[in-house]
Amino acid sequence: MQSIKLPSKPPSSPNPILNLSFRIFFSAAALFAVVTMLLWAFVFTGHTDIDAQVLNPLYWHGHEMVYGYALAVVAGFLLTAVKTWTGVMMPHGYKLLGIFVCWLLARLSWLGFGVGITLIGDSISWLYIAAIFDVVFVASMAYVICRAVWQVKQYKQMGILAKLALLTFGNGLCYWGIINADMNTTKIGIYLGFYLIIGLVLTIGRRVVPFFIERGLSMSIGVETSEPVKLRNSKGQDIASLVFFFAFFISDVFYPNQYLLTVTALGVAVINIVRLIGWYHHGIWQKPLLWSLYIAFLGMCLSFLLYALQPWLGYPHSLAMHGLAIAGIGMMTVAMMTRVSLGHTGRSIHQPPKTVNLMYGLMVLVFVSRVLLPLVDMSHYLVWIMIAQGAWIACFVLFCISYLPMLARPRSDGLFG
């Protein structure tokens, strides 16, 4: 007699925000983006001190933007996407809370280090605490991803684990450099994490941007198309972009050579501009969730052009780097979070909150004020930076107002997720 397989108990959590990782990590990332930029504004204007003998304040800012904010968004995206890719349930409820608490305690430890709290001894003590929780956070994330991939034998997804391992290695270099007063090692660790995430954005963006544009326009009533929208992609472009980007990373971090930097950065820019031309459709301007992704990718291309021209025109290297960070991490993550949060909470992606246009506009203002305006008027550099900081904070405050309520409520269709 064949046994009857009873249905398993449906998943549940103590609060909807713990249903899936995108809910709690996107919420935390947005709140963290506000808090950490406010603190950075105080540091930048001299109202709060970070011991420069222990850590260059610029590296404190860079570390928490990469390994704090960006990695939280990566966790929210991956731990949600792997469920979709494999069909295996990802951590939810108290298990998810445990992973999140590790990220949170690491961030609080960096905050204690940054503002010089000495309740447990010298400020370096906070870094040991942060290092432990950062390692546990990434290790937990890697374990559940590996388990799901192994369970369904989707071994092609194992590349995700390699990227997480490299991010952990880069973060370890940061801790090692700070503890041993080796700023060069700290810098390498920050740039390794930064460029690794940019590489992820280029790779995922190559898949996600055209896919979202095709679906968004093909399903749109307001766009008149005689047939479904199909956008061009090329395997050759994928390989060329990867090769040029890897050579660019080596040149910018380990082997500073103005000719190599220009050639490689220009190569990345040109290849991805050609991609953008192939992805363009006039209908995207009717859909903020689409044009935001397109503009973010365009901002990355412009930033690589700035890298290519910087050795010859003499403006600060940080302008190109911040351009890539704002477009590739700031704008791209906001565009992704606003769309993913709608789709995975059962809401229509064709009816986003009215505030999204203002959010995306503010992020464009961040790029213009932090990157482009200093190119033409360096005499008001501090003013441009303060405007960019204010626009960044306003963007994420709007995200919190518009999206945190839906992230904390059950799905509108009653399903778990």
Side-chain angles (χ1 to χ4, degrees):
M1 180 183 294
Q2 186 175 5
S3 61
I4 299 175
K5 187 176 181 180
L6 296 175
S8 59
K9 183 181 178 181
S12 63
S13 65
N15 188 280
I17 204 167
L18 295 174
N19 285 3
L20 283 179
S21 61
F22 77 94
R23 290 176 174 270
I24 192 166
F25 276 109
F26 287 0
S27 300
L31 290 168
F32 182 73
V34 173
V35 172
T36 195
M37 189 58 72
L38 276 171
L39 181 57
W40 177 237
F42 280 110
V43 171
F44 194 82
T45 54
H47 292 87
T48 300
D49 292 328
I50 292 177
D51 189 352
Q53 293 183 340
V54 177
L55 177 65
N56 185 325
L58 291 172
Y59 293 166
W60 175 87
H61 169 62
H63 181 278
E64 287 303 271
M65 285 289 99
V66 172
Y67 294 105
Y69 169 77
L71 206 51
V73 178
V74 168
F77 178 81
L78 281 183
L79 292 177
T80 302
V82 168
K83 176 180 179 293
T84 302
W85 297 338
T86 65
V88 177
M89 191 64 189
M90 288 289 100
H92 56 278
Y94 290 114
K95 291 182 180 179
L96 175 58
L97 181 62
I99 296 175
F100 168 73
V101 166
C102 291
W103 174 87
L104 178 62
L105 291 176
R107 306 288 64 80
L108 291 175
S109 298
W110 268 89
L111 180 62
F113 168 73
V115 300
I117 298 174
T118 56
L119 296 178
I120 60 170
D122 58 58
S123 58
I124 290 295
S125 300
W126 287 105
L127 286 184
Y128 288 104
I129 298 173
I132 292 170
F133 284 114
D134 261 344
V135 169
V136 174
F137 162 58
V138 178
S140 301
M141 183 165 50
Y143 169 74
V144 297
I145 291 173
C146 181
R147 184 184 62 183
V149 168
W150 193 268
Q151 186 173 333
V152 298
K153 297 181 172 58
Q154 287 188 5
Y155 302 122
K156 64 179 182 180
Q157 307 291 359
M158 295 296 282
I160 296 172
L161 299 176
K163 294 177 177 66
L164 291 176
L166 286 172
L167 281 167
T168 303
F169 176 71
N171 204 3
L173 287 178
C174 292
Y175 287 113
W176 179 267
I178 298 168
I179 292 169
N180 291 279
D182 184 352
M183 291 294 179
N184 187 57
T185 299
T186 303
K187 176 184 176 181
I188 291 173
I190 292 172
Y191 273 87
L192 175 60
F194 172 57
Y195 285 134
L196 185 60
I197 289 177
I198 292 298
L200 276 170
V201 171
L202 284 172
T203 301
I204 295 174
R206 175 259 179 224
R207 305 173 187 174
V208 167
V209 175
F211 174 73
F212 282 171
I213 291 176
E214 286 177 353
R215 288 202 61 186
L217 294 183
S218 297
M219 296 171 63
S220 174
I221 299 174
V223 178
E224 296 181 1
T225 54
S226 57
E227 57 185 23
V229 176
K230 298 295 292 182
L231 302 181
R232 296 193 297 267
N233 254 327
S234 164
K235 187 69 174 179
Q237 288 177 351
D238 294 343
I239 296 172
S241 180
L242 178 63
V243 169
F244 273 107
F245 180 74
F246 181 74
F248 160 79
F249 162 67
I250 296 299
S251 174
D252 194 52
V253 178
F254 297 106
Y255 185 70
N257 179 285
Q258 57 187 6
Y259 299 101
L260 182 59
L261 180 66
T262 296
V263 170
T264 55
L266 191 61
V268 179
V270 170
I271 291 165
N272 286 284
I273 287 172
V274 171
R275 273 179 173 170
L276 278 177
I277 293 173
W279 294 344
Y280 181 77
H281 189 286
H282 63 88
I284 64 173
W285 304 112
Q286 299 179 29
K287 301 284 184 179
L289 296 183
L290 299 183
W291 68 253
S292 58
L293 288 167
Y294 196 88
I295 291 295
F297 219 91
L298 176 61
M300 294 175 69
C301 295
L302 293 177
S303 300
F304 280 113
L305 288 177
L306 289 177
Y307 273 107
L309 296 174
Q310 187 272 331
W312 314 104
L313 299 184
Y315 48 79
H317 176 274
S318 66
L319 292 184
M321 186 271 292
H322 274 89
L324 193 56
I326 293 164
I329 295 180
M331 193 179 301
M332 188 65 80
T333 55
V334 170
M336 287 295 297
M337 288 192 296
T338 49
R339 190 192 191 282
V340 170
S341 296
L342 290 174
H344 282 279
T345 57
R347 291 166 173 82
S348 172
I349 60 172
H350 301 293
Q351 295 178 322
K354 294 181 179 180
T355 52
V356 294
N357 280 297
L358 183 53
M359 276 187 259
Y360 303 150
L362 285 167
M363 197 55 71
V364 171
L365 176 59
V366 175
F367 186 92
V368 171
S369 185
R370 183 62 183 86
V371 180
L372 301 183
L373 290 179
L375 286 174
V376 297
D377 181 15
M378 189 61 76
S379 63
H380 293 89
Y381 187 58
L382 181 59
V383 174
W384 305 141
I385 289 182
M386 293 179 69
I387 291 173
Q389 290 171 338
W392 173 280
I393 292 167
C395 172
F396 283 99
V397 167
L398 281 175
F399 180 92
C400 292
I401 293 172
S402 303
Y403 278 85
L404 262 58
M406 73 174 71
L407 291 170
R409 292 172 185 159
R411 282 179 60 109
S412 57
D413 54 14
L415 298 176
F416 183 86

